[in-house]
Amino acid sequence: IELRGEELYFRYCSGCHGAEGDGNGAAAPFLDPQPRNFTRGVYKFRSTPSNSLPTDADLLRTLREGVHGTSMPPWRQLPEDQLTSLIAYLKTYSPRFAREKPEPSLALPGPPANLGSPSSVENGQKIYLSLKCGQCHGAAGKGDGPSAATLTDSYDMPIKPFDFTRKAPKGGARPEDLYRTFMTGLAGTPMPSYAASIPDEQDRWDLVSFIL
């Protein structure tokens, strides 16, 4: 069946994200975390710098892969042309897309040969400590750091730091996915970009090694 963006949205997406794209669909009260509010134009999973809009490729990746640990499923059964139409329609909900362009994607190189080696993990642990990641995520990565109970998202709602020991991260569990998250941050949450804080490429991958 040939369906275009608006038809696809109301068939597959509006039940959670709402007819107005504001995250207030009929199923929303039963979901945790809440569905994305498209009207704000704020997206967690991007290859672009902090506070930038995502690229179409970023949105396509989320549609194809879903969001781990949430009610957002992968939509791999839909052909790419339909997903592209759906993305074009989603973007109409936020005026940001009409007045702004996504910033260039950050370089996302492949993992080094020593990823996961004892020396890489050891250095990654030092970086984890120096950046005070444990304040939120906890010393053992369980999401139980001393600041965890005080955190809120951009809606002023309580938000829990991710527990790395229990499940795959929402943005993906591949080394490249973790690297991207560390370098771009998660817009709308307390998780910042560490692109400026970790300028050395090997150090960035060492932090990935430690988290894995």
Side-chain angles (χ1 to χ4, degrees):
I1 300 174
E2 182 70 17
L3 295 173
R4 305 324 300 167
E6 184 176 8
E7 297 173 291
L8 290 162
Y9 181 84
F10 280 92
R11 173 173 288 201
Y12 298 118
C13 312
S14 62
C16 295
H17 294 283
E20 303 299 323
D22 56 6
N24 289 320
F30 309 102
L31 303 180
D32 184 19
Q34 292 289 290
R36 176 69 20 190
N37 179 346
F38 297 124
T39 68
R40 293 193 172 195
V42 177
Y43 291 82
K44 294 179 181 179
F45 310 116
R46 317 167 322 282
S47 62
T48 55
S50 183
N51 298 319
S52 170
L53 290 170
T55 66
D56 285 5
D58 293 331
L59 297 175
L60 181 61
R61 182 179 63 250
T62 297
L63 288 174
R64 279 177 170 164
E65 300 184 8
V67 180
H68 300 279
T70 78
S71 300
M72 175 64 186
W75 293 99
R76 299 190 188 99
Q77 72 272 29
L78 297 178
E80 184 163 336
D81 64 325
Q82 292 194 15
L83 292 176
T84 300
S85 295
L86 177 56
I87 288 168
Y89 183 73
L90 292 178
K91 289 162 63 175
T92 67
Y93 281 117
S94 172
R96 285 194 68 191
F97 286 101
R99 63 174 186 256
E100 300 176 39
K101 297 290 186 183
E103 295 182 39
S105 295
L106 298 175
L108 298 175
N114 71 333
L115 183 75
S117 68
S119 61
S120 180
V121 170
E122 181 180 2
N123 187 48
Q125 183 176 28
K126 293 177 182 177
I127 295 166
Y128 185 88
L129 294 172
S130 70
L131 294 176
K132 302 188 186 304
C133 302
Q135 283 292 115
C136 297
H137 294 285
K142 294 183 178 181
D144 58 356
S147 298
T150 69
L151 300 178
T152 57
D153 63 13
S154 58
Y155 299 92
D156 293 324
M157 297 294 292
I159 185 171
K160 297 179 180 178
F162 192 78
D163 179 349
F164 294 111
T165 70
R166 297 192 61 186
K167 57 187 178 182
K170 293 175 184 176
R174 296 170 299 189
E176 296 90 339
D177 297 325
L178 289 172
Y179 182 102
R180 183 180 64 247
T181 296
F182 296 153
M183 294 305 104
T184 63
L186 297 177
T189 81
M191 176 65 187
S193 163
Y194 285 101
S197 303
I198 316 175
D200 183 78
E201 191 68 27
Q202 184 61 56
D203 285 345
R204 295 174 175 184
W205 284 112
D206 288 347
L207 180 59
V208 172
S209 290
F210 177 67
I211 296 300
L212 289 173

